[in-house]
Amino acid sequence: MRELRGQVAVITGGGSGIGAALSHACAERGMRVAVADVEESAAESVAEALRIRGAEAMACQVDVRSRDAVEELAGAVDSKFGQTHLLCNNAGVMVTRPLLELEEKDWEWSLSVNLLGVIHAVSAFLPGMIARGEAGHVVNTASIVGLAAISQGGLGAYTTTKFALVGFSEYLREELKAAGAPIGVSVVCPGAVTTRIAESERNRPDELQTGPAPAHSESDPRVATIPGRQSPEEVAASILTGVEEDDTWILTHPEMKPLVEARTRALLAAFDVAAARRPA
Ligand SMILES: NC(=O)c1ccc[n+]([C@@H]2O[C@H](COP(=O)([O-])OP(=O)(O)OC[C@H]3O[C@@H](n4cnc5c(N)ncnc54)[C@H](O)[C@@H]3O)[C@@H](O)[C@H]2O)c1
């Protein structure tokens, strides 16, 4: 089991929801925590709460869409805490519009935060983590819709980014293993969690606006009817256990298994179809 005490954690999107709960859970494990978020005041208030409970914490304003900003974050964490051991790529946004109504700017925002943001952080932090030779871990937060598409709620762009993130994470894990680097990679695929994800539009930059934001709230029936909503604290606890056990997939909502089972069955059946259609 991986020992986290005394190590350094960086959490993007640490100012709210799962990231804030993860920041607290890391502090509880005795880690030093860098809380990074595009919302400076949110990052600062989580870091302050950690310091009040006796943890070492720093707040960093960062927009993960910017490679330069993420490089600066890596430098700031290195100067203050030294080597990063646990990189949690948690920042994410959810655009909710039917696929055929999505505009170029919707795609740009979704892809630049949910996918490029993770790529930026991996590029900024991994070389240093590998060079220092100490054990480390990367956690990428995807979603259950990264394992099975649910065609409701206008989640087409979100689903696209999360499927890509699952593939990116699996590939990164294998590549690091093949290189003999002592860095694990996990991808987290939660179902519904009680956070502010439905209010993602609050962080959409002016230049990527596409008109009035659709109204989404806790009472949104598409969200409310998904069974097994968990608290961010429950999900954060599962994530850290998964890191300690070096799990490839950290699945938090067992009630979602039938969705993935159905997709996997259909996928395997398609191989049988291919075999049957192959000319003798
Ligand atoms: N809430 C759910 O039901 C659910 C389910 C599956 C996966 N997820 C994923 O969990 C992760 C955390 O989301 P959450 O549910 O806690 O939502 P949240 O909105 O409460 O938190 C997301 C955080 O990311 C930050 N953020 C947004 N854009 C950013 C950017 N460009 N740069 C840096 N930070 C940025 C926000 O300021 C916020 O603090 C996301 O990747 C989300 O896709 C959430």
Side-chain angles (χ1 to χ4, degrees):
M1 196 173 95
R2 186 152 287 169
E3 172 62 47
L4 299 175
R5 183 160 299 280
Q7 298 203 325
V8 174
V10 175
I11 297 153
T12 69
S16 173
I18 296 169
L22 204 44
S23 300
H24 279 275
C26 287
E28 234 159 64
R29 293 287 210 282
M31 301 186 84
R32 287 170 288 158
V33 184
V35 184
D37 204 288
V38 72
E39 287 186 35
E40 189 169 15
S41 59
E44 187 45 62
S45 79
V46 171
E48 181 59 17
L50 299 187
R51 287 190 287 264
I52 287 168
R53 57 188 286 192
E56 272 188 79
M58 66 189 283
C60 311
Q61 197 278 332
V62 68
D63 184 340
V64 296
R65 295 180 306 132
S66 158
R67 178 180 281 269
D68 289 349
V70 178
E71 295 277 356
E72 267 176 43
L73 168 69
V77 175
D78 199 71
S79 304
K80 176 126 174 127
F81 286 154
Q83 148 115 51
T84 292
H85 303 91
L86 175 61
L87 171 64
C88 299
N89 289 309
N90 164 83
V93 294
M94 189 170 78
V95 170
T96 51
R97 283 207 172 96
L99 203 65
L100 297 179
E101 288 176 28
L102 287 165
E103 295 180 24
E104 187 66 17
K105 288 174 177 176
D106 294 317
W107 283 111
E108 191 181 332
W109 185 43
S110 302
L111 288 162
S112 62
V113 178
N114 295 0
L115 189 55
L116 271 180
V118 179
I119 293 167
H120 291 157
V122 165
S123 306
F125 282 89
L126 258 282
M129 289 168 76
I130 293 168
R132 293 198 201 183
E134 292 175 29
H137 206 91
V138 179
V139 181
N140 296 331
T141 301
S143 166
I144 195 67
V145 304
L147 296 175
I150 305 168
S151 62
Q152 63 169 9
L155 296 182
Y158 187 72
T159 299
T160 304
T161 63
K162 297 300 188 178
F163 257 82
L165 187 52
V166 171
F168 174 82
S169 307
E170 290 180 10
Y171 191 92
L172 180 64
R173 183 179 173 96
E174 290 309 312
E175 194 169 272
L176 290 170
K177 202 197 291 172
I183 316 277
V185 179
S186 302
V187 61
V188 189
C189 298
V193 189
T194 49
T195 69
R196 297 185 67 198
I197 193 73
E199 300 161 49
S200 291
E201 293 287 336
R202 72 192 188 278
N203 286 313
R204 191 195 281 247
D206 290 346
E207 69 276 15
L208 295 179
Q209 293 292 335
T210 50
H216 290 283
S217 70
E218 286 295 294
S219 62
D220 184 329
R222 292 172 301 190
V223 176
T225 53
I226 297 174
R229 288 183 70 123
Q230 288 189 15
S231 69
E233 290 72 24
E234 285 175 278
V235 172
S238 300
I239 292 173
L240 284 196
T241 302
V243 169
E244 286 164 341
E245 299 296 334
D246 192 22
D247 292 344
T248 303
W249 298 281
I250 301 177
L251 303 179
T252 56
H253 290 58
E255 54 279 281
M256 295 298 189
K257 186 177 175 187
L259 276 177
V260 180
E261 249 171 1
R263 175 174 189 269
T264 307
R265 265 198 309 274
L267 196 54
L268 295 177
F271 280 106
D272 299 336
V273 170
R277 285 180 188 163
R278 205 171 189 173

